[in-house]
Amino acid sequence: MAIDAPSSSPPSLSPWSDRLRHSAIILLAAGLALSVVVAIGELSPMRAAVVFICIAAAALVPWRLHNVATSREDVRGVNPVETAAVSAVVSGMPDPAVLLDRAGRVIHLNAAAAQLAPALRKNELAQFALRSPEIITALREAIATSEPRRAMYLDHVPVDRWMELIITPVPVPTLFGGTDKCMLMTFHDQTPLRRVEEMRADFVANASHELRTPLAALSGFIDTLQGQAKDDAKARERFLGIMHAQATRMARLIDDLLSLSRVELSAHVRPDTSVDIVPIIRQVADGLEPLARERQVVVDIDLPETQVQIAGDREELLRLFENLIENALKYGASGGKVMVSLTSALSGEGTPEVRVLVRDFGPGIAPEHLPRLTERFYRVDVGDSRAQGGTGLGLSLVKHILNRHRGRLLIESVPKNGATFTACFPQARTSILV
């Protein structure tokens, strides 16, 4: 902390020294004039001294006219809008904010606004820095009418972002007691809301499409059974089997949608219950044994005999491992083998984590499909997925469950050499791996 050095003269004498310095020319001129008058005999020295004392008193005594705290010249250079307090208010706003004068010149801007529009400069017109036609139009209208304006625009740099601009006229005091209008521009990032809306629209469209197909099949088979195949026992048996499969598919789709909604609602709440994932994986593998026998796939389980504790939700973990192992049995059945193992490793940040690997030896997945596998309703092969009874939501559900558990999903695949799905969880301190 800096401390100013004390003045050499006492505080009480400082005003008098300032007045003496400012009045030095007057006193000097008065002294010279009186000396000349005395020298030519027009005035006695005593009277000249009295006159000089009167002049000095008039120059030095702090009359109100000369004791104004701040002169008009000093006040003229301090605009109330340009004070540090106004700058601090604008700088403290969380969203990008710019304060403009009535002509559109920048008075203050905060760091967020400088980052959003690096071309903005103080005392320069904002129109030159903000090139969007929507911004320029809204700003011109606000300046012309002194009324609030809103505008939506798409910012393409550095990434596509939907921004909302709000221009609010702000009355401010002037130097001489009047009021003037400044313009406060605030920018609000609407990209998350836009993306949520797009995702919701896509989700509703995809869900309705997925439900429409089995509903149409059920409706068609019911009409057939009520008409031409009413007395055909063989056709009735075949159609009822197909109807059962379609009804099961619809039930599973609804179940997956509800599970996904529940996970998303609690995505911000990390589970705090400690669970042992070893028996959970074994329970899932035992439950899928009939499917493995049906597909003629051998499931090789390599799990430690000791407990492996993580913070997790048991029901969600059951669903996660069921989706991973079932996908391997369905889409990697041609390899004849599925391996499920558990290991410990370090994440990219150097923290320990538990990894559950599910590997199949099937046809594998082409590289262009890997980044999109966890999208809702995304399928590598739509026909094969529907034939297998898939809903297109399994891996999306896996990703959201892992996100809630603060984990991550790793996918590795080489065409014709199978695929490996790895669920990574933060390792609890009490976890024991053999």
Side-chain angles (χ1 to χ4, degrees), residues 85-108:
V86 178
S87 177
V89 171
V90 175
S91 299
M93 298 183 70
D95 292 321
V98 184
L99 185 64
L100 309 176
D101 63 14
R102 64 161 64 185
R105 284 185 293 266
V106 177
I107 302 175
H108 298 293

PDB file of all heavy atoms in Angstrom, residues 85-108:
ATOM      1  N   ALA A  85     -16.897   5.431 -11.278  1.00  0.00           N
ATOM      2  CA  ALA A  85     -18.019   4.665 -10.727  1.00  0.00           C
ATOM      3  C   ALA A  85     -18.849   4.039 -11.848  1.00  0.00           C
ATOM      4  O   ALA A  85     -19.235   2.867 -11.776  1.00  0.00           O
ATOM      5  CB  ALA A  85     -18.898   5.571  -9.866  1.00  0.00           C
ATOM      6  N   VAL A  86     -19.118   4.811 -12.909  1.00  0.00           N
ATOM      7  CA  VAL A  86     -19.885   4.267 -14.039  1.00  0.00           C
ATOM      8  C   VAL A  86     -19.097   3.160 -14.731  1.00  0.00           C
ATOM      9  O   VAL A  86     -19.640   2.115 -15.109  1.00  0.00           O
ATOM     10  CB  VAL A  86     -20.238   5.388 -15.030  1.00  0.00           C
ATOM     11  CG1 VAL A  86     -20.986   4.825 -16.234  1.00  0.00           C
ATOM     12  CG2 VAL A  86     -21.073   6.456 -14.350  1.00  0.00           C
ATOM     13  N   SER A  87     -17.803   3.371 -14.885  1.00  0.00           N
ATOM     14  CA  SER A  87     -16.962   2.340 -15.499  1.00  0.00           C
ATOM     15  C   SER A  87     -16.966   1.058 -14.680  1.00  0.00           C
ATOM     16  O   SER A  87     -17.012  -0.050 -15.230  1.00  0.00           O
ATOM     17  CB  SER A  87     -15.528   2.863 -15.641  1.00  0.00           C
ATOM     18  OG  SER A  87     -14.676   1.868 -16.162  1.00  0.00           O
ATOM     19  N   ALA A  88     -16.940   1.195 -13.343  1.00  0.00           N
ATOM     20  CA  ALA A  88     -16.956   0.009 -12.480  1.00  0.00           C
ATOM     21  C   ALA A  88     -18.275  -0.744 -12.594  1.00  0.00           C
ATOM     22  O   ALA A  88     -18.305  -1.982 -12.587  1.00  0.00           O
ATOM     23  CB  ALA A  88     -16.714   0.423 -11.034  1.00  0.00           C
ATOM     24  N   VAL A  89     -19.392  -0.002 -12.730  1.00  0.00           N
ATOM     25  CA  VAL A  89     -20.701  -0.662 -12.873  1.00  0.00           C
ATOM     26  C   VAL A  89     -20.758  -1.463 -14.167  1.00  0.00           C
ATOM     27  O   VAL A  89     -21.199  -2.618 -14.204  1.00  0.00           O
ATOM     28  CB  VAL A  89     -21.826   0.373 -12.813  1.00  0.00           C
ATOM     29  CG1 VAL A  89     -23.154  -0.259 -13.188  1.00  0.00           C
ATOM     30  CG2 VAL A  89     -21.918   0.977 -11.421  1.00  0.00           C
ATOM     31  N   VAL A  90     -20.316  -0.850 -15.273  1.00  0.00           N
ATOM     32  CA  VAL A  90     -20.332  -1.548 -16.557  1.00  0.00           C
ATOM     33  C   VAL A  90     -19.385  -2.747 -16.525  1.00  0.00           C
ATOM     34  O   VAL A  90     -19.716  -3.839 -17.018  1.00  0.00           O
ATOM     35  CB  VAL A  90     -19.951  -0.585 -17.698  1.00  0.00           C
ATOM     36  CG1 VAL A  90     -19.850  -1.324 -19.021  1.00  0.00           C
ATOM     37  CG2 VAL A  90     -20.980   0.537 -17.803  1.00  0.00           C
ATOM     38  N   SER A  91     -18.225  -2.572 -15.930  1.00  0.00           N
ATOM     39  CA  SER A  91     -17.247  -3.675 -15.864  1.00  0.00           C
ATOM     40  C   SER A  91     -17.757  -4.826 -15.016  1.00  0.00           C
ATOM     41  O   SER A  91     -17.387  -5.988 -15.244  1.00  0.00           O
ATOM     42  CB  SER A  91     -15.921  -3.171 -15.310  1.00  0.00           C
ATOM     43  OG  SER A  91     -15.373  -2.171 -16.146  1.00  0.00           O
ATOM     44  N   GLY A  92     -18.602  -4.535 -14.025  1.00  0.00           N
ATOM     45  CA  GLY A  92     -19.093  -5.579 -13.143  1.00  0.00           C
ATOM     46  C   GLY A  92     -20.270  -6.365 -13.675  1.00  0.00           C
ATOM     47  O   GLY A  92     -20.691  -7.344 -13.044  1.00  0.00           O
ATOM     48  N   MET A  93     -20.810  -5.992 -14.820  1.00  0.00           N
ATOM     49  CA  MET A  93     -21.944  -6.725 -15.381  1.00  0.00           C
ATOM     50  C   MET A  93     -21.471  -8.071 -15.913  1.00  0.00           C
ATOM     51  O   MET A  93     -20.432  -8.158 -16.584  1.00  0.00           O
ATOM     52  CB  MET A  93     -22.605  -5.908 -16.488  1.00  0.00           C
ATOM     53  CG  MET A  93     -23.173  -4.584 -15.995  1.00  0.00           C
ATOM     54  SD  MET A  93     -24.024  -3.649 -17.287  1.00  0.00           S
ATOM     55  CE  MET A  93     -25.476  -4.669 -17.530  1.00  0.00           C
ATOM     56  N   PRO A  94     -22.216  -9.153 -15.631  1.00  0.00           N
ATOM     57  CA  PRO A  94     -21.758 -10.490 -16.043  1.00  0.00           C
ATOM     58  C   PRO A  94     -21.804 -10.725 -17.544  1.00  0.00           C
ATOM     59  O   PRO A  94     -20.970 -11.450 -18.083  1.00  0.00           O
ATOM     60  CB  PRO A  94     -22.711 -11.433 -15.303  1.00  0.00           C
ATOM     61  CG  PRO A  94     -23.946 -10.613 -15.062  1.00  0.00           C
ATOM     62  CD  PRO A  94     -23.463  -9.205 -14.868  1.00  0.00           C
ATOM     63  N   ASP A  95     -22.764 -10.129 -18.226  1.00  0.00           N
ATOM     64  CA  ASP A  95     -22.878 -10.290 -19.674  1.00  0.00           C
ATOM     65  C   ASP A  95     -22.088  -9.192 -20.380  1.00  0.00           C
ATOM     66  O   ASP A  95     -21.801  -8.142 -19.788  1.00  0.00           O
ATOM     67  CB  ASP A  95     -24.346 -10.237 -20.103  1.00  0.00           C
ATOM     68  CG  ASP A  95     -25.130 -11.439 -19.621  1.00  0.00           C
ATOM     69  OD1 ASP A  95     -24.571 -12.543 -19.642  1.00  0.00           O
ATOM     70  OD2 ASP A  95     -26.293 -11.268 -19.208  1.00  0.00           O
ATOM     71  N   PRO A  96     -21.747  -9.403 -21.644  1.00  0.00           N
ATOM     72  CA  PRO A  96     -21.080  -8.329 -22.395  1.00  0.00           C
ATOM     73  C   PRO A  96     -21.929  -7.068 -22.389  1.00  0.00           C
ATOM     74  O   PRO A  96     -23.122  -7.102 -22.698  1.00  0.00           O
ATOM     75  CB  PRO A  96     -20.943  -8.919 -23.801  1.00  0.00           C
ATOM     76  CG  PRO A  96     -20.938 -10.405 -23.594  1.00  0.00           C
ATOM     77  CD  PRO A  96     -21.852 -10.644 -22.439  1.00  0.00           C
ATOM     78  N   ALA A  97     -21.319  -5.933 -22.033  1.00  0.00           N
ATOM     79  CA  ALA A  97     -22.055  -4.673 -21.912  1.00  0.00           C
ATOM     80  C   ALA A  97     -21.202  -3.543 -22.470  1.00  0.00           C
ATOM     81  O   ALA A  97     -19.988  -3.491 -22.243  1.00  0.00           O
ATOM     82  CB  ALA A  97     -22.438  -4.394 -20.465  1.00  0.00           C
ATOM     83  N   VAL A  98     -21.871  -2.621 -23.193  1.00  0.00           N
ATOM     84  CA  VAL A  98     -21.203  -1.463 -23.784  1.00  0.00           C
ATOM     85  C   VAL A  98     -22.098  -0.250 -23.547  1.00  0.00           C
ATOM     86  O   VAL A  98     -23.299  -0.285 -23.831  1.00  0.00           O
ATOM     87  CB  VAL A  98     -20.963  -1.644 -25.300  1.00  0.00           C
ATOM     88  CG1 VAL A  98     -20.182  -0.463 -25.858  1.00  0.00           C
ATOM     89  CG2 VAL A  98     -20.243  -2.952 -25.580  1.00  0.00           C
ATOM     90  N   LEU A  99     -21.505   0.846 -23.035  1.00  0.00           N
ATOM     91  CA  LEU A  99     -22.231   2.091 -22.832  1.00  0.00           C
ATOM     92  C   LEU A  99     -21.824   3.066 -23.933  1.00  0.00           C
ATOM     93  O   LEU A  99     -20.635   3.347 -24.115  1.00  0.00           O
ATOM     94  CB  LEU A  99     -21.931   2.681 -21.457  1.00  0.00           C
ATOM     95  CG  LEU A  99     -22.724   3.936 -21.078  1.00  0.00           C
ATOM     96  CD1 LEU A  99     -24.216   3.623 -20.992  1.00  0.00           C
ATOM     97  CD2 LEU A  99     -22.227   4.520 -19.761  1.00  0.00           C
ATOM     98  N   LEU A 100     -22.821   3.575 -24.669  1.00  0.00           N
ATOM     99  CA  LEU A 100     -22.578   4.478 -25.794  1.00  0.00           C
ATOM    100  C   LEU A 100     -23.167   5.848 -25.497  1.00  0.00           C
ATOM    101  O   LEU A 100     -24.139   5.976 -24.738  1.00  0.00           O
ATOM    102  CB  LEU A 100     -23.224   3.923 -27.071  1.00  0.00           C
ATOM    103  CG  LEU A 100     -22.933   2.471 -27.448  1.00  0.00           C
ATOM    104  CD1 LEU A 100     -23.734   2.102 -28.681  1.00  0.00           C
ATOM    105  CD2 LEU A 100     -21.453   2.257 -27.687  1.00  0.00           C
ATOM    106  N   ASP A 101     -22.582   6.884 -26.122  1.00  0.00           N
ATOM    107  CA  ASP A 101     -23.198   8.196 -26.039  1.00  0.00           C
ATOM    108  C   ASP A 101     -24.295   8.304 -27.093  1.00  0.00           C
ATOM    109  O   ASP A 101     -24.583   7.365 -27.824  1.00  0.00           O
ATOM    110  CB  ASP A 101     -22.146   9.300 -26.178  1.00  0.00           C
ATOM    111  CG  ASP A 101     -21.450   9.262 -27.536  1.00  0.00           C
ATOM    112  OD1 ASP A 101     -21.937   8.573 -28.445  1.00  0.00           O
ATOM    113  OD2 ASP A 101     -20.404   9.928 -27.679  1.00  0.00           O
ATOM    114  N   ARG A 102     -24.906   9.494 -27.194  1.00  0.00           N
ATOM    115  CA  ARG A 102     -26.057   9.648 -28.087  1.00  0.00           C
ATOM    116  C   ARG A 102     -25.676   9.486 -29.556  1.00  0.00           C
ATOM    117  O   ARG A 102     -26.534   9.204 -30.396  1.00  0.00           O
ATOM    118  CB  ARG A 102     -26.699  11.007 -27.887  1.00  0.00           C
ATOM    119  CG  ARG A 102     -25.775  12.170 -28.254  1.00  0.00           C
ATOM    120  CD  ARG A 102     -26.565  13.447 -28.486  1.00  0.00           C
ATOM    121  NE  ARG A 102     -27.237  13.894 -27.269  1.00  0.00           N
ATOM    122  CZ  ARG A 102     -28.054  14.930 -27.247  1.00  0.00           C
ATOM    123  NH1 ARG A 102     -28.311  15.591 -28.357  1.00  0.00           N
ATOM    124  NH2 ARG A 102     -28.611  15.311 -26.121  1.00  0.00           N
ATOM    125  N   ALA A 103     -24.386   9.644 -29.880  1.00  0.00           N
ATOM    126  CA  ALA A 103     -23.941   9.483 -31.265  1.00  0.00           C
ATOM    127  C   ALA A 103     -23.519   8.054 -31.585  1.00  0.00           C
ATOM    128  O   ALA A 103     -23.220   7.748 -32.732  1.00  0.00           O
ATOM    129  CB  ALA A 103     -22.792  10.440 -31.558  1.00  0.00           C
ATOM    130  N   GLY A 104     -23.477   7.183 -30.568  1.00  0.00           N
ATOM    131  CA  GLY A 104     -23.078   5.802 -30.799  1.00  0.00           C
ATOM    132  C   GLY A 104     -21.612   5.542 -30.547  1.00  0.00           C
ATOM    133  O   GLY A 104     -21.099   4.475 -30.915  1.00  0.00           O
ATOM    134  N   ARG A 105     -20.905   6.486 -29.905  1.00  0.00           N
ATOM    135  CA  ARG A 105     -19.498   6.265 -29.573  1.00  0.00           C
ATOM    136  C   ARG A 105     -19.378   5.518 -28.257  1.00  0.00           C
ATOM    137  O   ARG A 105     -20.174   5.721 -27.342  1.00  0.00           O
ATOM    138  CB  ARG A 105     -18.737   7.596 -29.502  1.00  0.00           C
ATOM    139  CG  ARG A 105     -18.423   8.204 -30.861  1.00  0.00           C
ATOM    140  CD  ARG A 105     -17.560   9.445 -30.712  1.00  0.00           C
ATOM    141  NE  ARG A 105     -18.314  10.507 -30.058  1.00  0.00           N
ATOM    142  CZ  ARG A 105     -18.979  11.454 -30.715  1.00  0.00           C
ATOM    143  NH1 ARG A 105     -18.998  11.446 -32.041  1.00  0.00           N
ATOM    144  NH2 ARG A 105     -19.636  12.378 -30.061  1.00  0.00           N
ATOM    145  N   VAL A 106     -18.374   4.680 -28.141  1.00  0.00           N
ATOM    146  CA  VAL A 106     -18.179   3.851 -26.954  1.00  0.00           C
ATOM    147  C   VAL A 106     -17.640   4.706 -25.812  1.00  0.00           C
ATOM    148  O   VAL A 106     -16.611   5.391 -25.968  1.00  0.00           O
ATOM    149  CB  VAL A 106     -17.216   2.691 -27.259  1.00  0.00           C
ATOM    150  CG1 VAL A 106     -16.960   1.878 -25.990  1.00  0.00           C
ATOM    151  CG2 VAL A 106     -17.777   1.808 -28.365  1.00  0.00           C
ATOM    152  N   ILE A 107     -18.329   4.667 -24.676  1.00  0.00           N
ATOM    153  CA  ILE A 107     -17.846   5.346 -23.470  1.00  0.00           C
ATOM    154  C   ILE A 107     -17.166   4.350 -22.544  1.00  0.00           C
ATOM    155  O   ILE A 107     -16.046   4.572 -22.074  1.00  0.00           O
ATOM    156  CB  ILE A 107     -19.006   6.050 -22.736  1.00  0.00           C
ATOM    157  CG1 ILE A 107     -19.690   7.055 -23.656  1.00  0.00           C
ATOM    158  CG2 ILE A 107     -18.509   6.735 -21.478  1.00  0.00           C
ATOM    159  CD1 ILE A 107     -20.924   7.707 -23.046  1.00  0.00           C
ATOM    160  N   HIS A 108     -17.846   3.254 -22.265  1.00  0.00           N
ATOM    161  CA  HIS A 108     -17.294   2.188 -21.416  1.00  0.00           C
ATOM    162  C   HIS A 108     -17.665   0.844 -22.031  1.00  0.00           C
ATOM    163  O   HIS A 108     -18.712   0.715 -22.679  1.00  0.00           O
ATOM    164  CB  HIS A 108     -17.853   2.248 -19.988  1.00  0.00           C
ATOM    165  CG  HIS A 108     -17.531   3.511 -19.257  1.00  0.00           C
ATOM    166  ND1 HIS A 108     -16.255   3.867 -18.882  1.00  0.00           N
ATOM    167  CD2 HIS A 108     -18.347   4.516 -18.828  1.00  0.00           C
ATOM    168  CE1 HIS A 108     -16.292   5.031 -18.257  1.00  0.00           C
ATOM    169  NE2 HIS A 108     -17.556   5.447 -18.214  1.00  0.00           N
TER     170      HIS A 108
END
